[in-house]
Amino acid sequence: MIKLVIFDLDGTLLNTISDLAGSTNYALKQCGFPEHETDAYNYFVGNGINKLFERALPESERTPENIGRMRGFFLEHYTQNNTCLTVPYPGISELLRELQHKGIALAVASNKYQEGTEKLVRYYFKDIVFSAVLGQREGIPVKPDPVIVKEILQVNGVSANEALYIGDSGVDMQTAAAATVTSVGVTWGFRTREELVENGACYVVDSPAEILELSGRL
């Protein structure tokens, strides 16, 4: 019986790519580097913001100093502009409300920095109670390390076989496998069905309604 559903944030609950691209391009411009088309960011995100900056920078400029400069400009801009174009994916709000109504605990496990994760969850899902909302924190390894998922399991007093982990990328599928949690890959996010399958997705779904059905069947 599924007692807990853990969601990735970017590309799973929220389509954040346009705001992430806009703020990263702002940081690149401030640092004197070329910008990228929004679609390119589908493959830059997913491993935390420092990795995002590293991928966005020209290969010869991927130094700790430049990543640090990028981080400062990005956070300044993104903090003010992270809800301009971001939206929940169709059917997500209804899914969360229905899972909550069924008494299933909900949580978020993201590689987005903690403050940004908390802000977006509060802003877009005001009527949803999450048992844990965890993002990238100092001293805590990012996904696919399973520590963040294991922390959520512990907070909820739930075993791995009573939880689902929902995400849109290979990193998410690897995270679930490392935590021995059943993984569900979603096809509406930033990555492809092929990536999800190649990285061991237990299930792949094309709509939020399928997650609701799956949670009641397992």
mmCIF file of all heavy atoms in Angstrom, residues 88-110:
data_model
loop_
_atom_site.group_PDB
_atom_site.id
_atom_site.type_symbol
_atom_site.label_atom_id
_atom_site.label_comp_id
_atom_site.label_asym_id
_atom_site.label_seq_id
_atom_site.Cartn_x
_atom_site.Cartn_y
_atom_site.Cartn_z
ATOM 1 N N PRO A 88 2.268 25.305 -12.912
ATOM 2 C CA PRO A 88 2.094 23.863 -12.688
ATOM 3 C C PRO A 88 1.713 23.190 -14.004
ATOM 4 O O PRO A 88 1.006 23.778 -14.833
ATOM 5 C CB PRO A 88 0.948 23.781 -11.679
ATOM 6 C CG PRO A 88 0.859 25.146 -11.076
ATOM 7 C CD PRO A 88 1.292 26.097 -12.143
ATOM 8 N N TYR A 89 2.167 21.969 -14.192
ATOM 9 C CA TYR A 89 1.745 21.222 -15.376
ATOM 10 C C TYR A 89 0.247 20.904 -15.280
ATOM 11 O O TYR A 89 -0.301 20.772 -14.176
ATOM 12 C CB TYR A 89 2.550 19.925 -15.502
ATOM 13 C CG TYR A 89 3.968 20.166 -15.959
ATOM 14 C CD1 TYR A 89 5.017 20.168 -15.042
ATOM 15 C CD2 TYR A 89 4.260 20.389 -17.301
ATOM 16 C CE1 TYR A 89 6.323 20.391 -15.453
ATOM 17 C CE2 TYR A 89 5.566 20.614 -17.727
ATOM 18 C CZ TYR A 89 6.588 20.619 -16.801
ATOM 19 O OH TYR A 89 7.883 20.857 -17.211
ATOM 20 N N PRO A 90 -0.431 20.800 -16.400
ATOM 21 C CA PRO A 90 -1.870 20.506 -16.375
ATOM 22 C C PRO A 90 -2.176 19.238 -15.580
ATOM 23 O O PRO A 90 -1.538 18.200 -15.778
ATOM 24 C CB PRO A 90 -2.208 20.323 -17.865
ATOM 25 C CG PRO A 90 -1.184 21.150 -18.586
ATOM 26 C CD PRO A 90 0.075 21.013 -17.778
ATOM 27 N N GLY A 91 -3.146 19.347 -14.695
ATOM 28 C CA GLY A 91 -3.579 18.196 -13.916
ATOM 29 C C GLY A 91 -2.819 17.973 -12.628
ATOM 30 O O GLY A 91 -3.225 17.141 -11.796
ATOM 31 N N ILE A 92 -1.732 18.704 -12.403
ATOM 32 C CA ILE A 92 -0.908 18.480 -11.209
ATOM 33 C C ILE A 92 -1.625 18.929 -9.936
ATOM 34 O O ILE A 92 -1.642 18.207 -8.924
ATOM 35 C CB ILE A 92 0.453 19.186 -11.343
ATOM 36 C CG1 ILE A 92 1.360 18.411 -12.290
ATOM 37 C CG2 ILE A 92 1.115 19.371 -9.982
ATOM 38 C CD1 ILE A 92 1.788 17.036 -11.781
ATOM 39 N N SER A 93 -2.212 20.100 -9.943
ATOM 40 C CA SER A 93 -2.895 20.577 -8.741
ATOM 41 C C SER A 93 -4.037 19.646 -8.356
ATOM 42 O O SER A 93 -4.226 19.337 -7.161
ATOM 43 C CB SER A 93 -3.417 22.006 -8.963
ATOM 44 O OG SER A 93 -2.346 22.906 -9.152
ATOM 45 N N GLU A 94 -4.776 19.169 -9.339
ATOM 46 C CA GLU A 94 -5.864 18.228 -9.078
ATOM 47 C C GLU A 94 -5.330 16.916 -8.516
ATOM 48 O O GLU A 94 -5.921 16.332 -7.594
ATOM 49 C CB GLU A 94 -6.652 17.968 -10.365
ATOM 50 C CG GLU A 94 -7.413 19.174 -10.896
ATOM 51 C CD GLU A 94 -6.538 20.140 -11.701
ATOM 52 O OE1 GLU A 94 -5.316 19.909 -11.832
ATOM 53 O OE2 GLU A 94 -7.100 21.142 -12.194
ATOM 54 N N LEU A 95 -4.204 16.441 -9.057
ATOM 55 C CA LEU A 95 -3.582 15.211 -8.558
ATOM 56 C C LEU A 95 -3.194 15.354 -7.099
ATOM 57 O O LEU A 95 -3.486 14.474 -6.275
ATOM 58 C CB LEU A 95 -2.346 14.883 -9.395
ATOM 59 C CG LEU A 95 -1.427 13.791 -8.822
ATOM 60 C CD1 LEU A 95 -2.138 12.440 -8.793
ATOM 61 C CD2 LEU A 95 -0.128 13.712 -9.606
ATOM 62 N N LEU A 96 -2.544 16.447 -6.751
ATOM 63 C CA LEU A 96 -2.107 16.649 -5.378
ATOM 64 C C LEU A 96 -3.292 16.704 -4.422
ATOM 65 O O LEU A 96 -3.268 16.112 -3.330
ATOM 66 C CB LEU A 96 -1.282 17.930 -5.266
ATOM 67 C CG LEU A 96 0.052 17.938 -6.018
ATOM 68 C CD1 LEU A 96 0.709 19.310 -5.907
ATOM 69 C CD2 LEU A 96 0.998 16.856 -5.505
ATOM 70 N N ARG A 97 -4.337 17.407 -4.822
ATOM 71 C CA ARG A 97 -5.521 17.495 -3.960
ATOM 72 C C ARG A 97 -6.161 16.126 -3.758
ATOM 73 O O ARG A 97 -6.599 15.784 -2.647
ATOM 74 C CB ARG A 97 -6.535 18.483 -4.545
ATOM 75 C CG ARG A 97 -6.138 19.940 -4.358
ATOM 76 C CD ARG A 97 -7.314 20.871 -4.625
ATOM 77 N NE ARG A 97 -7.686 20.893 -6.028
ATOM 78 C CZ ARG A 97 -7.189 21.764 -6.915
ATOM 79 N NH1 ARG A 97 -6.292 22.664 -6.545
ATOM 80 N NH2 ARG A 97 -7.590 21.729 -8.174
ATOM 81 N N GLU A 98 -6.216 15.324 -4.818
ATOM 82 C CA GLU A 98 -6.847 14.006 -4.715
ATOM 83 C C GLU A 98 -6.006 13.054 -3.858
ATOM 84 O O GLU A 98 -6.557 12.294 -3.044
ATOM 85 C CB GLU A 98 -7.064 13.420 -6.109
ATOM 86 C CG GLU A 98 -7.905 12.159 -6.145
ATOM 87 C CD GLU A 98 -9.309 12.349 -5.603
ATOM 88 O OE1 GLU A 98 -9.852 13.471 -5.689
ATOM 89 O OE2 GLU A 98 -9.874 11.361 -5.069
ATOM 90 N N LEU A 99 -4.691 13.071 -4.023
ATOM 91 C CA LEU A 99 -3.826 12.241 -3.186
ATOM 92 C C LEU A 99 -3.959 12.639 -1.718
ATOM 93 O O LEU A 99 -4.032 11.783 -0.829
ATOM 94 C CB LEU A 99 -2.366 12.370 -3.643
ATOM 95 C CG LEU A 99 -2.015 11.726 -4.980
ATOM 96 C CD1 LEU A 99 -0.587 12.123 -5.399
ATOM 97 C CD2 LEU A 99 -2.132 10.200 -4.912
ATOM 98 N N GLN A 100 -3.999 13.946 -1.488
ATOM 99 C CA GLN A 100 -4.152 14.440 -0.122
ATOM 100 C C GLN A 100 -5.499 13.992 0.458
ATOM 101 O O GLN A 100 -5.573 13.567 1.623
ATOM 102 C CB GLN A 100 -4.056 15.964 -0.116
ATOM 103 C CG GLN A 100 -4.155 16.600 1.265
ATOM 104 C CD GLN A 100 -3.853 18.091 1.204
ATOM 105 O OE1 GLN A 100 -2.740 18.527 1.438
ATOM 106 N NE2 GLN A 100 -4.853 18.876 0.888
ATOM 107 N N HIS A 101 -6.539 14.062 -0.340
ATOM 108 C CA HIS A 101 -7.868 13.636 0.093
ATOM 109 C C HIS A 101 -7.885 12.153 0.463
ATOM 110 O O HIS A 101 -8.609 11.741 1.387
ATOM 111 C CB HIS A 101 -8.883 13.915 -1.023
ATOM 112 C CG HIS A 101 -10.277 13.460 -0.713
ATOM 113 N ND1 HIS A 101 -11.074 14.098 0.218
ATOM 114 C CD2 HIS A 101 -11.011 12.417 -1.205
ATOM 115 C CE1 HIS A 101 -12.240 13.469 0.292
ATOM 116 N NE2 HIS A 101 -12.230 12.457 -0.563
ATOM 117 N N LYS A 102 -7.093 11.348 -0.218
ATOM 118 C CA LYS A 102 -7.019 9.917 0.056
ATOM 119 C C LYS A 102 -6.147 9.593 1.269
ATOM 120 O O LYS A 102 -6.006 8.421 1.636
ATOM 121 C CB LYS A 102 -6.489 9.179 -1.184
ATOM 122 C CG LYS A 102 -7.476 9.147 -2.342
ATOM 123 C CD LYS A 102 -6.870 8.434 -3.527
ATOM 124 C CE LYS A 102 -7.886 8.301 -4.659
ATOM 125 N NZ LYS A 102 -9.006 7.393 -4.299
ATOM 126 N N GLY A 103 -5.540 10.615 1.860
ATOM 127 C CA GLY A 103 -4.720 10.391 3.045
ATOM 128 C C GLY A 103 -3.292 9.975 2.761
ATOM 129 O O GLY A 103 -2.584 9.517 3.669
ATOM 130 N N ILE A 104 -2.852 10.141 1.523
ATOM 131 C CA ILE A 104 -1.468 9.823 1.154
ATOM 132 C C ILE A 104 -0.591 11.026 1.447
ATOM 133 O O ILE A 104 -0.907 12.147 1.051
ATOM 134 C CB ILE A 104 -1.383 9.420 -0.332
ATOM 135 C CG1 ILE A 104 -2.164 8.132 -0.575
ATOM 136 C CG2 ILE A 104 0.069 9.275 -0.775
ATOM 137 C CD1 ILE A 104 -2.266 7.730 -2.033
ATOM 138 N N ALA A 105 0.503 10.810 2.168
ATOM 139 C CA ALA A 105 1.431 11.900 2.487
ATOM 140 C C ALA A 105 2.157 12.347 1.215
ATOM 141 O O ALA A 105 2.459 11.531 0.337
ATOM 142 C CB ALA A 105 2.437 11.454 3.542
ATOM 143 N N LEU A 106 2.456 13.638 1.137
ATOM 144 C CA LEU A 106 3.106 14.229 -0.036
ATOM 145 C C LEU A 106 4.388 14.924 0.393
ATOM 146 O O LEU A 106 4.448 15.535 1.464
ATOM 147 C CB LEU A 106 2.180 15.242 -0.707
ATOM 148 C CG LEU A 106 0.795 14.723 -1.110
ATOM 149 C CD1 LEU A 106 -0.067 15.873 -1.599
ATOM 150 C CD2 LEU A 106 0.922 13.648 -2.183
ATOM 151 N N ALA A 107 5.411 14.844 -0.459
ATOM 152 C CA ALA A 107 6.686 15.500 -0.165
ATOM 153 C C ALA A 107 7.351 15.918 -1.465
ATOM 154 O O ALA A 107 7.009 15.423 -2.544
ATOM 155 C CB ALA A 107 7.607 14.564 0.623
ATOM 156 N N VAL A 108 8.299 16.836 -1.342
ATOM 157 C CA VAL A 108 9.083 17.310 -2.492
ATOM 158 C C VAL A 108 10.554 17.080 -2.204
ATOM 159 O O VAL A 108 11.047 17.403 -1.114
ATOM 160 C CB VAL A 108 8.828 18.804 -2.764
ATOM 161 C CG1 VAL A 108 9.780 19.328 -3.835
ATOM 162 C CG2 VAL A 108 7.377 19.036 -3.177
ATOM 163 N N ALA A 109 11.262 16.521 -3.184
ATOM 164 C CA ALA A 109 12.710 16.323 -3.103
ATOM 165 C C ALA A 109 13.328 16.902 -4.365
ATOM 166 O O ALA A 109 13.168 16.339 -5.452
ATOM 167 C CB ALA A 109 13.050 14.840 -2.977
ATOM 168 N N SER A 110 14.024 18.016 -4.231
ATOM 169 C CA SER A 110 14.505 18.758 -5.399
ATOM 170 C C SER A 110 15.995 19.044 -5.293
ATOM 171 O O SER A 110 16.547 19.121 -4.196
ATOM 172 C CB SER A 110 13.741 20.091 -5.502
ATOM 173 O OG SER A 110 14.223 20.870 -6.572
#
